[in-house]
Amino acid sequence: MHCLKKITENLIWVGANDRRLAMFEGVYSVPNGVSYNSYLLNDEKTVLFDTVDKAVQQRFLENLCEALGSRTLDYIVVQHIEPDHSAVLSTLVSRYPNMKVVCNKKTLDFIKQFYSSDIDSRVHIVKEGDALSTGRHTLNFVMAPMVHWPEVMVTYDSTDKILFSADAFGSFGALNGALFADEVDFERDYMDEARRYYTNIVGKYGTQAEALLAKAATLRIDMICPLHGFVWRKRLQSIISKYMLWSTYAPEENGVMIAYASVYGNTENAAEILACRLRDKGIKTVMFDVSVTPASEIVAAAFQWSHLVFASTTYNAGIFVTMEALISDLVSHNIQNRTVAIIENGTWAATSGTLIRERLGKCRNITFIDKMISIESSIKKRELAQIDSMVEALIASLSAQSEIAVKKAAQAPVLPNTVDTKVMSTLSYGLFVLTARDGNKNNGCIINTVTQITEKPLRISIAVNKANYTHDMIVKTKEFNVSVLTESTPFRVFQHFGFHSGRDTNKFAECESETRTANNIIYVPKFTNAVISAKVTETVNYETHTLFIADVTQAIMLSQERSVTYQYYFDHIKPKPQLPKGAKKGYICKICGYVHEGDDLPQDFICPLCKHGVKDFEPIN
Ligand code: FEO
């Protein structure tokens, strides 16, 4: 019997769940099952977005039949040919002889590799930017190579503002009657599985995921329909902001993940002592026994936490087997931007620590805590001092990385409640931290539009994306602060305020409350040259943004440093794509992020991933 879910008047979920699958792709445990999503658009033409895995094809076919009713299927859009989404394609090709297969050239190649169907005459090939009208709806095709395979594309329904996102924004876990993320407590019950899905399936391809996010940022998106997991129709920013962190390998949490491999419990003992001493100092810790916890969970945690400790016994003159597998997994998933500490154990010739360091040293931007701890069989009193040194080094590193400007606020001066008109000269097409307060809740986000409108009264305007939580707070409270960022602002400040959603993160968790202006709203005293407090007098609705017009109530210069401009940010602050270690020169594809190593790029070079030519490449050094 069919089991459908209605999404909009003419969009129907026709997918199915599998709770019997033990290992997704044969490697990732899925204790909560997995959903294979497929969507039918009933327009003047009927359009199906992908199919499902063969394990659930019967339910899918019943669903499709019911959703079509007496109609036939006019188009199938193949966004991703991986068999968990295309297993029923051949059946549909036979069943609906007039159905067109909409896909890109690379997908067609893969269809022929996986399935023998002779479909050339049935194919409608699309490329980046192509559109297809199906009646009331217009479908726009956006290539997303390597998110997760090279042929992947996503589809934007510009009529209803729906992004059919293929593997992006998906999650492990069957849908238990609910289809929309807002029907469940996603943050509490599903975010871990969304992270485990992203990091293990797409994690290696951060550059390509970032490229897709950049394209998506140019679109107004009201709903996201992925191929696994929940459909997003509310609070889209909460999952998009996670993707911004994950795709740039930016940690979500300041704290220490400890993974250990222990044969007789002695290495575990050292790891436990370290964790206890870190906790005693107020540092957040999580621990995993790599012989027990599936590697996919530890890979996900490594993407989540800022500091990683690996403790391993030596085995066959190398790293213990389960730890070796984990390290290899992390390297192949491109882990980067982390601080790492190592504890090794060995009864006669400890080598595991040096080998772990060697392997992780090949990853980008890994900072090692200098003193590795080397234990002989079991931890002794003399090694406790080394553990304390490691604790101190980790705390020092954590503090340095969490200096998000408002910490140590007790040292911040009390600001005069005055308006210094010189502050207006700090405004440029720059970047600013916009802060607001609603009761006890503080929040801040990055904006790039603050403009003086009039001098008397002193009035400014700000444009704020409606997806931002700060936007909603200002709509409600009608007050805000603007902290003007300077050229010395490190990228992590932009990540902190720009890549998290305040709906699920307290961005000021580590701050003290003294850095407030007279309106009792937090401002950012570090990496800023001025703060402006303002009271909203008028709002103008601009589809994706609200323009707030506001009277300045307080304006204070904080430093003489130059304001950061948007251009300066891109030229000097936002990290540039990097060449793999050892490579001296190369070129990056601006479309998909593919890196070609070498001094020259031949004029006829074609990107092997997205098939764009040399004009879409730029040099990296
Ligand atoms: Fe769910 Fe890349 O397939």
Side-chain angles (χ1 to χ4, degrees):
M1 173 57 79
H2 58 84
C3 180
L4 306 169
K5 295 286 282 189
K6 185 173 166 184
I7 298 176
T8 66
E9 266 321 298
N10 52 12
L11 184 67
I12 303 169
W13 178 85
V14 292
N17 295 295
D18 185 354
R19 297 181 186 81
R20 289 199 165 183
L21 182 69
M23 303 297 271
F24 183 78
E25 293 186 357
V27 63
Y28 304 114
S29 55
V30 277
N32 305 313
V34 65
S35 76
Y36 301 106
N37 297 341
S38 172
Y39 305 93
L40 181 73
L41 177 65
N42 265 319
D43 200 6
E44 284 172 30
K45 298 288 183 187
T46 54
V47 186
L48 182 73
F49 294 93
D50 299 289
T51 71
V52 295
D53 189 83
K54 64 177 182 300
V56 294
Q57 63 177 325
Q58 187 185 335
R59 179 61 32 76
F60 161 75
L61 287 168
E62 287 167 346
N63 286 348
L64 179 61
C65 228
E66 174 67 17
L68 281 169
S70 57
R71 304 185 73 187
T72 187
L73 186 57
D74 296 309
Y75 292 108
I76 178 166
V77 178
V78 183
Q79 302 186 108
H80 185 16
I81 192 61
E82 193 166 9
D84 56 332
H85 307 295
S86 68
V88 198
L89 179 62
S90 300
T91 304
L92 297 186
V93 166
S94 311
R95 189 179 278 198
Y96 301 104
N98 295 319
M99 177 187 79
K100 287 278 185 201
V101 178
V102 180
C103 65
N104 60 49
K105 172 73 179 59
K106 176 63 88 184
T107 309
L108 179 58
D109 294 343
F110 287 175
I111 289 175
K112 289 177 179 176
Q113 285 175 215
F114 273 106
Y115 310 107
S116 54
S117 303
D118 176 15
I119 61 164
D120 279 325
S121 60
R122 313 273 298 273
V123 165
H124 176 92
I125 294 287
V126 294
K127 56 184 187 319
E128 177 80 18
D130 281 357
L132 175 69
S133 171
T134 60
R136 189 175 77 82
H137 293 255
T138 300
L139 305 178
N140 303 269
F141 302 102
V142 178
M143 302 302 123
M146 299 320 294
V147 186
H148 141 235
W149 278 18
E151 90 296 357
V152 171
M153 66 180 193
V154 301
T155 309
Y156 177 61
D157 174 355
S158 52
T159 308
D160 280 355
K161 318 290 184 217
I162 298 175
L163 180 69
F164 296 91
S165 62
D167 273 346
F169 306 110
S171 177
F172 289 135
L175 304 171
N176 301 317
L179 177 63
F180 299 102
D182 57 273
E183 293 178 278
V184 297
D185 191 333
F186 192 89
E187 178 67 28
R188 187 191 65 196
D189 298 333
Y190 293 93
M191 190 58 89
D192 284 348
E193 284 296 78
R195 182 187 301 105
R196 189 166 71 92
Y197 175 82
Y198 171 85
T199 54
N200 285 277
I201 304 294
V202 190
K204 180 180 175 65
Y205 305 107
T207 310
Q208 289 81 4
E210 213 187 346
L212 176 60
L213 289 173
K215 291 180 187 179
T218 63
L219 307 169
R220 172 183 153 185
I221 299 171
D222 291 345
M223 190 182 291
I224 298 175
C225 293
L227 288 177
H228 299 286
F230 291 98
V231 169
W232 290 84
R233 65 180 173 185
K234 291 182 183 170
R235 297 183 48 208
L236 275 57
Q237 196 58 29
S238 61
I239 190 70
I240 292 172
S241 60
K242 290 289 182 189
Y243 265 67
M244 289 168 81
L245 290 172
W246 298 337
S247 65
T248 53
Y249 305 92
E252 291 167 74
E253 305 259 11
N254 257 8
V256 183
M257 183 205 88
I258 303 171
Y260 65 88
S262 189
V263 179
Y264 296 108
N266 293 308
T267 311
E268 177 187 42
N269 184 217
E272 293 272 20
I273 293 170
L274 176 73
C276 286
R277 292 184 180 208
L278 283 165
R279 277 280 170 182
D280 287 348
K281 300 276 186 183
I283 304 299
K284 287 192 235 170
T285 51
V286 289
M287 293 188 76
F288 299 100
D289 182 333
V290 300
S291 301
V292 175
T293 305
S296 65
E297 290 182 29
I298 311 178
V299 167
F303 272 67
Q304 183 179 7
W305 294 90
S306 60
H307 289 62
L308 313 179
V309 176
F310 298 98
S312 177
T313 188
T314 301
Y315 201 74
N316 287 334
I319 306 169
F320 187 73
V321 276
T322 49
M323 179 63 82
E324 184 162 40
L326 173 68
I327 298 293
S328 155
D329 232 359
L330 287 170
V331 171
S332 62
H333 282 87
N334 242 339
I335 190 73
Q336 50 193 276
N337 304 335
R338 293 295 183 277
T339 301
V340 169
I342 298 170
I343 301 174
E344 69 174 4
N345 194 355
T347 297
W348 62 95
T351 57
S352 55
T354 309
L355 291 170
I356 290 172
R357 185 169 177 138
E358 233 173 70
R359 306 258 168 98
L360 290 175
K362 296 192 176 108
C363 300
R364 286 179 193 158
N365 198 19
I366 298 288
T367 306
F368 289 97
I369 297 289
D370 260 353
K371 286 213 173 92
M372 179 173 79
I373 297 177
S374 192
I375 299 165
E376 288 177 329
S377 305
S378 66
I379 191 155
K380 315 287 186 312
K381 261 194 176 165
R382 65 176 179 272
E383 279 134 4
L384 292 178
Q386 291 180 46
I387 298 248
D388 284 336
S389 299
M390 185 175 274
V391 167
E392 291 311 316
L394 285 165
I395 289 173
S397 168
L398 281 158
S399 310
Q401 291 186 21
S402 68
E403 53 171 348
I404 52 157
V406 273
K407 209 176 173 193
K408 307 287 180 210
Q411 296 156 12
V414 177
L415 300 180
N417 189 7
T418 54
V419 172
D420 180 349
T421 53
K422 286 200 296 293
V423 165
M424 295 300 126
S425 65
T426 65
L427 299 181
S428 61
Y429 184 47
L431 288 154
F432 312 87
V433 179
L434 175 71
T435 45
R437 179 180 62 85
D438 181 10
N440 292 328
K441 179 82 180 162
N442 302 293
N443 197 40
C445 65
I446 299 283
I447 59 169
N448 58 5
T449 45
V450 181
T451 312
Q452 180 181 355
I453 302 176
T454 57
E455 195 179 344
K456 286 186 183 162
L458 191 55
R459 188 167 281 168
I460 59 171
S461 70
I462 58 169
V464 189
N465 192 312
K466 291 178 182 173
N468 286 327
Y469 183 42
T470 316
H471 168 275
D472 297 353
M473 293 171 93
I474 297 172
V475 167
K476 185 174 172 192
T477 65
K478 308 224 174 311
E479 283 191 295
F480 61 83
N481 279 351
V482 170
S483 301
V484 183
L485 292 168
T486 60
E487 290 181 351
S488 66
T489 311
F491 185 57
R492 64 176 179 275
V493 173
F494 296 95
Q495 287 178 312
H496 181 81
F497 287 107
F499 292 8
H500 295 272
S501 170
R503 288 192 172 88
D504 38 56
T505 314
N506 177 4
K507 298 184 186 181
F508 298 99
E510 297 173 29
C511 304
E512 298 170 26
S513 58
E514 285 83 353
T515 54
R516 292 179 188 272
T517 45
N519 57 11
N520 205 21
I521 295 175
I522 281 182
Y523 71 97
V524 180
K526 197 169 174 187
F527 309 122
T528 50
N529 58 15
V531 58
I532 301 168
S533 300
K535 209 169 179 51
V536 175
T537 55
E538 192 183 341
T539 59
V540 188
N541 180 17
Y542 284 110
E543 202 171 63
T544 56
H545 288 64
T546 298
L547 187 72
F548 294 99
I549 315 291
D551 284 347
V552 174
T553 55
Q554 190 177 8
I556 306 293
M557 291 296 295
L558 301 174
S559 80
Q560 296 305 312
E561 212 195 323
R562 286 156 63 100
S563 304
V564 66
T565 63
Y566 209 50
Q567 185 69 44
Y568 187 93
Y569 168 76
F570 281 105
D571 289 348
H572 302 287
I573 298 175
K574 188 170 190 289
K576 302 276 185 300
Q578 292 177 354
L579 284 170
K581 275 201 170 164
K584 290 196 173 61
K585 198 171 171 196
Y587 296 83
I588 185 164
C589 174
K590 290 183 283 184
I591 307 296
C592 73
Y594 173 80
V595 172
H596 169 81
E597 288 175 43
D599 288 341
D600 299 309
L601 188 68
Q603 275 313 299
D604 57 354
F605 187 81
I606 300 290
C607 176
L609 295 186
C610 67
K611 304 300 178 200
H612 282 245
V614 290
K615 73 175 173 34
D616 289 314
F617 277 75
E618 63 184 11
I620 43 175
N621 293 304

